[in-house]
Amino acid sequence: MTMWVAQTVQEIHQRRRTLAGRVALVPTMGALHAGHVALMQQARRLADHLLVSIFVNPTQFGPREDFSRYPRPLEQDLAACRDAGVDGVFHPSVQEMYPPGVPASSLNVPSIAAELEGALRPGHFEGVCRVVLKLFNLTQPALACFGQKDFQQLRVVQAMVADLNVPVDVVACPTVRESDGLALSSRNVYLSADDRKHAIGLSRALEEARLLIERSAETDPLAVSAAMLQTMKAYHIEPDYAEVRHPVTLAKLDCIEPRLTGGVVALVAGRLGPVRLIDNALMAIPKTT
Ligand code: AMP
């Protein structure tokens, strides 16, 4: 079956009406890489039809962020979707998604969205929630796959879906990495050769946290943060944050203790020249004997 591309709200509604059975959606901003493809493969296994959206969403970018220079290699992206067995791609214009004259709704999950990325990127998660809900309404999927790479985004979307009873299963997919540990990101192409070498400092910081928590049974989240910051700095990464948080609520922790049966999540963000990168990892807490 040949893959279709819908560019308007009317077209996607028409296409959606022809699909029977379970539909999976993988929302993306394009510049697709193996991480996105892994999401598509997972989605493909769980549903009868696979839809991918490619939309660089302006409402989730701050005024000084990289919206205008975000990569948009559309032909390459469509080829990647075809190869992954995608049924249809929704690729709307900004005008189509946000027609002038339609007043904007505001959506947020403050308890999860206010800190970390939310504190550094005011309005980011409001933009994410709004576009994700719009994409869900436009494609009416039974499930949607999101990467753990954007861990806070995943938790914000899961919380929104739970609170608003959105009938979509949000499926979390593991982070795909380069062989040296760097998490794949559409922004990695902007790293200079030197910065690319230093970028492994993010995953190294997470490995350091894992050693401290899982092997050395470190219980102080601030000690783990300090170690992660030191590792990032050793790799010339200008840190935004390095934190250990509750893996669902992302609340701050006083102590990394065995009663946290779901473990903890370590989250890092930092800048290498003009490029901002984030990463995270879930960690188990050793049982006390
Ligand atoms: P983006 O195009 O960056 O908005 O990402 C679209 C989806 O792909 C989001 O759910 C991301 O979390 C996910 N994603 C991005 N990078 C990776 C990766 N390295 N591994 C797995 N999923 C990813």
Side-chain angles (χ1 to χ4, degrees):
M1 212 186 65
T2 48
M3 186 179 84
W4 48 262
V5 180
Q7 291 183 302
T8 65
V9 165
Q10 197 190 355
E11 277 176 85
I12 188 69
H13 277 316
Q14 271 167 5
R15 289 290 190 179
R16 177 63 186 86
R17 274 196 288 273
T18 67
L19 302 177
R22 278 165 71 78
V23 169
L25 173 68
V26 176
T28 81
M29 297 203 300
L32 302 178
H33 51 62
H36 297 112
V37 172
L39 261 54
M40 293 180 207
Q41 286 163 346
Q42 173 82 9
R44 175 89 272 170
R45 281 193 287 274
L46 298 171
D48 304 302
H49 301 283
L50 171 56
L51 304 184
V52 169
S53 60
I54 298 178
F55 179 60
V56 185
N57 174 38
T59 68
Q60 69 190 69
F61 286 78
R64 283 198 300 277
E65 292 181 4
D66 56 350
F67 172 71
S68 54
R69 63 184 183 90
Y70 197 85
R72 291 166 170 85
L74 183 63
E75 287 313 315
Q76 240 170 278
D77 286 349
L78 293 179
C81 289
R82 254 179 234 112
D83 289 349
V86 170
D87 296 65
V89 171
F90 181 46
H91 175 58
S93 65
V94 170
Q95 175 96 357
E96 190 66 21
M97 286 296 272
Y98 303 111
V102 178
S105 307
S106 173
L107 266 170
N108 198 5
V109 185
S111 60
I112 301 178
E115 294 180 32
L116 303 166
E117 289 304 290
L120 287 150
R121 306 182 66 188
H124 172 67
F125 287 119
E126 285 89 334
V128 168
C129 284
R130 187 167 165 223
V131 81
V132 166
L133 195 57
K134 281 166 79 79
L135 291 169
F136 285 177
N137 286 334
L138 288 161
T139 58
Q140 293 169 41
L143 66 104
C145 289
F146 286 80
Q148 283 179 19
K149 158 76 171 41
D150 298 281
F151 194 81
Q152 193 176 8
Q153 167 175 282
L154 168 71
R155 291 302 187 225
V156 167
V157 170
Q158 285 175 327
M160 173 184 76
V161 160
D163 177 40
L164 301 181
N165 306 107
V166 182
V168 177
D169 246 349
V170 173
V171 178
C173 302
T175 301
V176 177
R177 298 176 180 279
E178 302 280 5
S179 54
D180 65 0
L182 175 66
L184 297 189
S185 161
S186 306
R187 291 182 168 104
N188 290 353
V189 294
Y190 293 125
L191 292 167
S192 68
D194 270 354
D195 287 345
R196 170 63 188 83
K197 284 186 206 138
H198 294 143
I200 58 165
L202 288 178
S203 55
R204 293 287 150 85
L206 296 170
E207 279 168 31
E208 177 70 29
R210 188 182 300 286
L211 282 178
L212 284 170
I213 293 171
E214 295 188 350
R215 294 270 180 82
S216 310
E218 175 60 65
T219 56
D220 179 4
L222 296 179
V224 180
S225 289
M228 288 196 290
L229 288 172
Q230 200 180 9
T231 304
M232 287 162 75
K233 284 181 191 151
Y235 283 89
H236 306 281
I237 299 172
E238 195 65 49
D240 279 341
Y241 57 77
E243 305 238 356
V244 181
R245 297 284 181 118
H246 188 280
V248 177
T249 64
L250 295 182
K252 286 193 170 120
L253 300 169
D254 294 329
C255 182
I256 302 168
E257 50 192 341
R259 92 183 153 74
L260 293 162
T261 48
V264 293
V265 61
L267 305 117
V268 290
R271 281 159 287 122
L272 278 159
V275 184
R276 185 167 182 277
L277 299 175
I278 60 173
D279 201 353
N280 68 83
L282 285 162
M283 283 156 211
I285 301 169
K287 303 232 182 323
T288 42
T289 45

